[in-house]
Amino acid sequence: MSLFSKFTSLFTRGERAVVDWNDLEQTLIGADLGPALAQRVSTRLHDARDLSLPDALAELLSPAERSLQVATDGPTVILVVGVNGSGKTTSIGKLSAYLARQGKSVLVVAADTFRAAAREQLQTWAQRTGVTCIAGRDGADPAAVAFDGVSQGIDQRADFVLIDTAGRLQSKEGLMDQLTKIRRVIEKKAPVSEVLLVLDGSTGQNALSQAESFTAAVDVTGLILTKLDGSTRGGAALAIEATLGTPIKWIGTGEGVGDIAPFDPDAYIAQLLAQ
Amino acid sequence: MFDALTSRMSRTLAGLRSRGRINPVDLEVTCGEIRTALLEADVALAVVDSLIAQVQRRGLEALSLKQAGINPGQQVITIIHEEILNILGTNARSLAVAKKPPTRIMLAGLQGSGKTTLAGKLALWLKEQGNTPLLVACDLARPNAVQQLQIIGEQIGVSVFAPEPGNGIGNPVTVAKAGLVHAEQKLFNYVIFDTAGRLGVDVELMKEARAIKSAVEPDDTLFVVDAMTGQDAVNTANAFNTGVGIDGVVLTKVDGNARAGAALSVTSVIGKPILFLSTGEKSTEFEPFYPDRMAQRILGMGDVATLAEQAKKALDEKSAARLEEKFVTGEEFTFDDFLEQLQAMKKMGSMSKLLGMLPGMPGAQGAQLKKQIEAIDDSETDRAAAIIQSMTPQERSNPKIINGSRRLRIARGSGHEVSSVNRLLERFAGAQKAMKQMKNARPGALPQGLPPGLAAPTSARPPQRPAKKSRSGNPAKRAEQERG
């Protein structure tokens, strides 16, 4: 049974039939909203009779600006961070292609000097999308590589500099400190316009902890929610929006060059409720 | 790892443990709290509900029995433990061994779940046991996945069969077949097939995975799943199980703070055991899965056995014995010991990870200790080593004499700021204090005695003892006791 038919009366405003609130909560938990937020939504719907379910979910979205912040002077520097395997390099590849298609000159920087072949992976993407790639040696100081990348971006008058960083689990304080340092070093050269946290759409409640820790380390300005092409619904990102106010800015939907799109609230909520 | 779940459970269960009697209302409330805890830990809804239903049913039964001398609170804990263990321990086994080598192992899973990293770890683990593994690069889709495997192979000294460059070029089924032939000809006794990440809903790619599988007929097809996965773990596991056929599960990124409910979800839904845990980015950060350890961990009882094992691996017998003696005689803990421990810890894995294995360190003291230990990370270890090595032997054994001018000299000698030296001295003082606390910790300082039902399998020793000594090198002795 589709969610829509199950909770038909919740999709319209006004009078509603008897709703199985437990069932609703469970459905939302199934979308990775987490027990607390699911209960909050259900209570809200229970109290505000003229609210529809999509409205109640939309209320949780952050009011923050979702378009990319662009630097007024010099290249727009975007730092891309996240846990291992969330899709940072792939997202940078796709994002650089997106920006290049809009006629922007883009420079990507491979500051993941830790994982085997991470640099080559980004170089392959850069070749594919026709953007310039700056890379350091394996094991080089990532902050130095990022600094060099931004310097070259300034010299080459690039519109965008996208910096790829090594994946790190947010519980590793040393690695999080390293990230703070990367940002600090970059900012000796140019301000960072955006720090995008790449979040795997299938991540559960740990997503909140990721967003909190990365925000504490490098002040995350937005999310790239990836891998939404499977059976996942990405509800953990809504929990981040609701609690931290960090907006989802991009949605990744596959491994192809074109599989990235700016966040669309309606489409996202539809995906959350898809079954 | 299961930290958060553990702490939540600890809180819930603390009420039960301390209470002599439990009534049906208590049971209901407790089950509600456990339910929320499990959901927050990303255990799949259906799994949580069936687990809670079991606990409730058996809990009521236990209440009605009112056995003399048995604390009903302890009974509920025993029930939860058994139920979790039931799920985690489903068909527990180790890696398959083919009657006629090579043993074929295929890895499958979603993108970014950690297959390639795991392939290296598994190969190294096999190699360390005297096997000759071969890695076969069948991920020809993700840019430079082949190269990643080649680099890893080089790092760990394991052969990699990679006839195709990847990046969309080459046929993975052909590579898999050729890899198997190569392994047979060159007499490798294990062959590991690293495949491309794919989605459960991607029919074409699932077909490809099945084609690889039928081409090489693996002895073990392992589903690699990220410990941070949410509710979708169930769908994905089901899709891979029906699409490719899974024999076992490997849980990755277990070193994070994810509550890893996926472990319960996946094993419960597909009825296949977890074989290994992947616990870090280094090739050695890999361990066999023990259901009982994990179940105990979930219940806040710590994972002493794993800790002891790792400690044994890292500390050589001699230095372990020396530290052990220091501990017993109460001799002052010096910078030399600190350095030795730092290096041993580095070998063992991150400190915070180790701490998670220690049982029963709740409350402010545990949190404080944890903070101190977490504050030390790997690159820090190298720096600390440099600073300590710039100290004179006298300074090392008696840090109290390190005054301002000595600090300046040490800083210059090690190429650091004085502030770094100060920080290290502070940390050392913290570690020294922690050592004292551990040494002085009496059983009473730890959580109330474990329920007899739970302690039974390891009742040969009081569960608290290893906790206070394990960081001092005692594990070697502990392991010996265990063997005995």
Side-chain angles (χ1 to χ4, degrees):
Chain A
M1 184 166 51
S2 86
L3 190 75
F4 185 78
S5 53
K6 204 152 119 190
F7 303 111
T8 314
S9 67
L10 285 181
F11 279 83
T12 50
R13 297 167 184 133
E15 276 307 296
R16 58 177 61 132
V18 181
V19 177
D20 182 343
W21 298 105
N22 256 341
D23 202 6
L24 175 69
E25 267 178 46
Q26 302 209 348
T27 307
L28 296 174
I29 288 170
D32 282 327
L33 259 68
L37 195 60
Q39 198 188 7
R40 186 167 140 197
V41 172
S42 138
T43 309
R44 175 88 177 110
L45 281 167
H46 188 268
D47 295 347
R49 293 262 152 177
D50 55 346
L51 205 67
S52 77
L53 175 55
D55 287 344
L57 293 174
E59 276 185 355
L60 297 173
L61 289 171
S62 164
E65 178 61 45
R66 286 176 197 275
S67 57
L68 276 185
Q69 298 300 304
V70 181
T72 45
D73 182 32
T76 298
V77 177
I78 302 178
L79 187 63
V80 179
V81 300
V83 300
N84 315 69
S86 54
K88 287 173 295 302
T89 308
T90 308
S91 293
I92 288 190
K94 294 191 284 191
L95 196 53
S96 64
Y98 182 94
L99 294 167
R101 270 201 309 279
Q102 298 191 330
K104 309 288 183 193
S105 62
V106 184
L107 195 138
V108 295
V109 183
D112 178 356
T113 54
F114 180 80
R115 206 203 66 198
R119 175 187 57 204
E120 289 81 359
Q121 187 180 346
L122 190 64
Q123 282 169 335
T124 304
W125 266 104
Q127 263 169 19
R128 211 182 263 180
T129 58
V131 305
T132 317
C133 180
I134 306 291
R137 286 172 293 103
D138 277 343
D141 178 7
V145 176
F147 182 86
D148 288 348
V150 172
S151 308
Q152 295 210 32
I154 294 170
D155 292 348
Q156 297 178 14
R157 297 178 187 284
D159 296 319
F160 285 90
V161 176
L162 307 183
I163 301 163
D164 190 15
T165 60
R168 64 200 78 221
L169 295 179
Q170 73 276 18
S171 51
K172 311 221 159 167
E173 275 185 42
L175 292 176
M176 296 307 280
D177 288 348
Q178 183 196 62
L179 204 54
T180 311
K181 177 185 161 193
I182 293 175
R183 180 182 179 139
R184 198 172 56 233
V185 171
I186 293 171
E187 295 211 305
K188 286 183 181 161
K189 199 76 200 177
V192 173
S193 301
E194 290 270 6
V195 179
L196 299 179
L197 172 67
V198 181
L199 180 71
D200 185 326
S202 65
T203 308
Q205 299 310 299
N206 189 247
L208 257 176
S209 153
Q210 290 177 24
E212 279 168 4
S213 301
F214 278 97
T215 298
V218 281
D219 201 5
V220 172
T221 56
L223 303 177
I224 303 181
L225 189 58
T226 61
K227 308 186 199 174
L228 279 194
D229 43 342
S231 50
T232 56
R233 288 184 271 154
L238 187 62
I240 294 176
E241 292 236 357
T243 47
L244 300 177
T246 314
I248 308 168
K249 294 204 168 177
W250 299 88
I251 300 277
T253 52
E255 291 183 290
V257 170
D259 294 336
I260 194 164
F263 178 73
D264 170 357
D266 295 337
Y268 174 67
I269 287 170
Q271 167 119 12
L272 275 183
L273 297 173
Q275 244 187 354
Chain B
M1 72 161 88
F2 283 61
D3 246 16
L5 177 56
T6 304
S7 66
R8 172 129 201 169
M9 284 258 192
S10 301
R11 248 182 296 138
T12 309
L13 297 178
L16 278 188
R17 282 182 183 150
S18 56
R19 216 169 298 169
R21 292 185 149 271
I22 183 170
N23 57 44
V25 180
D26 281 343
L27 182 64
E28 186 77 33
V29 172
T30 308
C31 283
E33 284 182 45
I34 295 172
R35 182 176 187 271
T36 309
L38 292 172
L39 285 174
E40 283 178 350
D42 292 317
V43 181
L45 198 57
V47 179
V48 172
D49 285 343
S50 79
L51 192 64
I52 293 298
Q54 283 289 5
V55 173
Q56 253 164 345
R57 188 182 58 75
R58 291 186 51 195
L60 283 175
E61 264 173 33
L63 289 185
S64 69
L65 284 177
K66 278 196 185 131
Q67 283 163 286
I70 296 179
N71 180 336
Q74 291 178 351
Q75 275 183 329
V76 175
I77 298 170
T78 310
I79 292 167
I80 298 165
H81 177 259
E82 280 176 6
E83 292 296 328
I84 292 178
L85 188 58
N86 260 348
I87 298 177
L88 288 177
T90 310
N91 308 319
R93 65 175 174 88
S94 58
L95 197 64
V97 181
K99 283 206 180 88
K100 180 177 167 291
T103 300
R104 290 158 274 189
I105 298 159
M106 174 174 163
L107 306 178
L110 294 176
Q111 286 97 345
S113 54
K115 287 176 296 302
T116 307
T117 306
L118 175 79
K121 292 178 177 188
L122 187 58
L124 180 62
W125 183 76
L126 286 168
K127 186 187 155 196
E128 279 180 344
Q129 299 185 336
N131 295 294
T132 49
L134 173 72
L135 289 162
V136 180
C138 302
D139 179 357
L140 306 176
R142 181 167 58 89
N144 300 80
V146 172
Q147 197 179 0
Q148 186 185 350
L149 195 66
Q150 281 170 328
I151 294 174
I152 290 174
E154 212 169 285
Q155 284 167 353
I156 60 173
V158 167
S159 304
V160 178
F161 182 76
E164 296 285 359
N167 296 356
I169 300 164
N171 179 343
V173 182
T174 318
V175 170
K177 273 190 206 162
L180 181 57
V181 172
H182 181 80
E184 283 165 347
Q185 281 171 352
K186 304 280 180 191
L187 302 176
F188 288 96
N189 75 344
Y190 275 89
V191 49
I192 301 165
F193 302 92
D194 179 31
T195 68
R198 63 200 78 228
L199 294 165
V201 295
D202 191 327
V203 182
E204 277 311 304
L205 281 173
M206 284 308 261
K207 255 191 215 163
E208 182 199 271
R210 200 160 45 232
I212 297 175
K213 183 169 176 170
S214 44
V216 301
E217 295 179 339
D219 300 291
D220 232 337
T221 305
L222 302 180
F223 174 57
V224 182
V225 62
D226 185 327
M228 295 180 280
T229 313
Q231 297 284 327
D232 193 54
V234 165
N235 301 330
T236 309
N238 266 330
F240 274 82
N241 199 26
T242 42
V244 191
I246 302 168
D247 301 317
V249 179
V250 181
L251 199 62
T252 62
K253 306 180 203 172
V254 184
D255 48 327
N257 61 358
R259 307 181 191 184
L264 274 176
S265 308
V266 171
T267 37
S268 160
V269 164
I270 62 171
K272 300 288 160 53
I274 298 176
L275 267 58
F276 299 104
L277 301 178
S278 184
T279 54
E281 289 186 87
K282 294 191 195 101
S283 290
T284 48
E285 292 173 326
F286 173 82
E287 48 191 70
F289 177 78
Y290 296 101
D292 191 46
R293 292 183 190 180
M294 189 65 82
Q296 291 199 6
R297 205 146 155 165
I298 291 175
L299 285 168
M301 293 155 67
D303 185 0
V304 179
T306 303
L307 179 64
E309 215 165 72
Q310 290 196 329
K312 205 174 105 203
K313 239 164 104 181
L315 285 167
D316 64 84
E317 299 266 327
K318 224 171 162 184
S319 59
R322 209 170 52 70
L323 278 171
E324 157 84 15
E325 198 191 294
K326 272 202 167 185
F327 220 84
V328 176
T329 57
E331 208 179 311
E332 194 70 11
F333 178 69
T334 69
F335 257 116
D336 280 318
D337 304 326
F338 188 59
L339 181 61
E340 200 167 319
Q341 281 203 1
L342 279 181
Q343 281 158 348
M345 288 288 178
K346 199 179 166 191
K347 261 195 257 171
M348 261 190 268
S350 81
M351 306 243 181
S352 50
K353 200 175 75 186
L354 286 174
L355 197 76
M357 296 177 190
L358 290 174
M361 287 210 280
Q365 188 191 326
Q368 185 205 353
L369 183 57
K370 182 168 175 163
K371 231 175 137 189
Q372 282 166 359
I373 295 186
E374 268 178 354
I376 303 169
D377 72 82
D378 281 1
S379 61
E380 203 86 340
T381 311
D382 298 337
R383 247 177 288 164
I387 295 175
I388 296 173
Q389 277 151 2
S390 297
M391 294 176 187
T392 65
Q394 200 195 357
E395 284 164 349
R396 289 189 211 183
S397 54
N398 187 13
K400 283 191 194 96
I401 64 165
I402 304 179
N403 57 17
S405 74
R406 284 178 192 264
R407 282 174 204 224
L408 189 65
R409 192 205 77 241
I410 294 167
R412 278 208 200 114
S414 61
H416 285 85
E417 300 287 327
V418 176
S419 59
S420 303
V421 178
N422 289 340
R423 247 195 329 268
L424 181 72
L425 286 168
E426 268 166 39
R427 277 186 189 163
F428 174 73
Q432 214 174 18
K433 204 170 145 201
M435 295 294 290
K436 277 192 192 133
Q437 276 172 353
M438 280 196 182
K439 190 182 144 213
N440 298 332
R442 282 177 302 278
L446 293 157
Q448 296 308 304
L450 296 170
L454 296 187
T458 48
S459 59
R461 54 175 168 83
Q464 299 89 350
R465 270 197 59 194
K468 53 175 179 171
K469 286 198 166 183
S470 46
R471 286 195 63 234
S472 77
N474 190 29
K477 192 181 168 195
R478 262 262 306 110
E480 218 168 74
Q481 286 172 345
E482 246 181 7
R483 275 200 302 273

